[in-house]
Amino acid sequence: MTDCTTTEMMTIAAARLLENNAVCFVGIGLPSTAANLARLTHAPDVVLIYESGPIGAKPHVLPLSIGDGDLAETADTVVSTPEIFRYWLQGGRIDVGFLGAAQIDRFANINTTVIGDYHHPKTRLPGAGGAPEIASSAKEVFVILKQSARTFVEKLDFITSVGFLDGGEARARLGLPGRGPVVVVTDLCIMEPDPQTKELTVTSLHPGVTRDQVQAATAWPIRFAAQVRQTPSPAPEELENLRDLERRTAIAHQRSVNLAPSGPPRMD
């Protein structure tokens, strides 16, 4: 495997999924990193939309929030937030919703609201934002998050955004227009919902990762596809573009990052 961290492997694997010319509603954090890496590599004409109104954003560095001025300054146009949701998202004009999560369950329902009891939480998270609408109305949804037994849980503390509820035809019975989560990318593997049950199934392991590692990082008995692929290692140009983007971001935001890993990939 090319000398890279597990976070870099995850980000690159997620970026590869975004096709050129797709219209993508982007979440802040890991989704924004992956989407902008796609724009800088194989998908130069991807249209990135952020909740605050930028359409066709081409930020020079990764945004701190949806209100980051670089998004508006580099966008093709900026519209109101109601137009983003009513015309673009609910109007069926978003190809991909790219989301992160604090917790996810076996049917790809996600939680970004609270850890613990809602009224007496252990941790209050950033909240829903536009994620419930994105998960409901985007034609399809990509989810990216680091994998551990604390994030891949048997039961969510709170359902912020609907995946497939309790599986099967539950989502269809709600009449939601979008297909829902079609892929979940972690720092260990790639998962896709089973066509019938909608339960997340491991379809690709990242280089050097074992099935036992994936199971240890999942709070339910994880399923594996009949034929599990190996995720292709990052190409040098993918790593170069990702690290350059993060380096520029670190300089712009005046914080230090470790961009020169040595030895085997870190489990971070």
Side-chain angles (χ1 to χ4, degrees):
M1 179 175 172
T2 305
D3 187 17
C4 72
T5 69
T6 55
T7 299
E8 289 172 332
M9 179 72 256
M10 169 178 60
T11 304
I12 290 168
R16 290 169 176 162
L17 299 172
L18 195 56
E19 296 181 358
N20 198 28
N21 295 306
V23 179
C24 179
F25 201 136
V26 191
I28 294 298
L30 287 170
S32 186
T33 306
N36 278 285
L37 177 60
R39 178 179 62 82
L40 294 170
T41 52
H42 68 279
D45 297 316
V46 66
V47 179
L48 301 185
I49 291 180
Y50 287 81
E51 187 175 337
S52 54
I55 298 174
K58 306 170 188 65
H60 302 295
V61 300
L62 296 172
L64 288 169
S65 71
I66 59 170
D68 196 310
D70 199 31
L71 294 176
E73 291 171 4
T74 62
D76 296 328
T77 188
V78 180
V79 301
S80 67
T81 297
E83 181 174 330
I84 285 289
F85 282 90
R86 183 65 189 97
Y87 179 82
W88 287 90
L89 183 59
Q90 295 173 350
R93 295 173 173 86
I94 302 297
D95 297 317
V96 177
F98 218 143
L99 298 175
Q103 290 181 329
I104 191 168
D105 67 15
R106 71 178 69 205
F107 296 114
N109 304 296
I110 65 177
N111 172 24
T112 57
T113 300
V114 64
I115 301 298
D117 179 79
Y118 182 84
H119 299 287
H120 303 283
K122 296 178 182 178
T123 304
R124 182 73 67 180
L125 299 169
E133 289 82 4
I134 295 170
S136 298
S137 299
K139 292 178 183 177
E140 57 185 24
V141 174
F142 299 169
V143 182
I144 178 173
L145 74 164
K146 294 185 178 181
Q147 189 167 351
S148 73
R150 293 190 302 172
T151 55
F152 280 67
V153 296
E154 181 70 36
K155 181 178 175 57
L156 294 181
D157 293 325
F158 187 93
I159 296 179
T160 305
S161 306
V162 170
F164 298 102
L165 291 175
D166 57 355
E169 298 300 316
R171 182 184 176 92
R173 287 195 295 270
L174 284 181
L176 300 178
R179 292 176 58 201
V182 298
V183 65
V184 176
V185 183
T186 81
D187 49 347
L188 299 178
C189 65
I190 297 173
M191 304 178 187
E192 300 173 51
D194 179 86
Q196 279 74 48
T197 68
K198 304 303 182 184
E199 183 171 345
L200 290 177
T201 302
V202 178
T203 56
S204 182
L205 293 172
H206 299 334
V209 175
T210 67
R211 294 186 180 214
D212 288 343
Q213 284 178 287
V214 174
Q215 182 58 77
T218 310
W220 69 84
I222 191 71
R223 295 181 180 273
F224 293 85
Q227 293 187 343
V228 178
R229 305 182 301 273
Q230 178 173 290
T231 311
S233 295
E237 58 270 22
E238 291 175 317
L239 272 177
E240 181 181 352
N241 275 282
L242 174 57
R243 291 174 179 175
D244 187 56
L245 175 61
E246 293 185 331
R247 185 177 294 108
R248 295 197 308 270
T249 300
I251 293 171
H253 298 165
Q254 297 182 338
R255 67 173 185 263
S256 62
V257 293
N258 179 14
L259 298 174
S262 60
R266 301 194 307 267
M267 296 305 295
D268 57 355

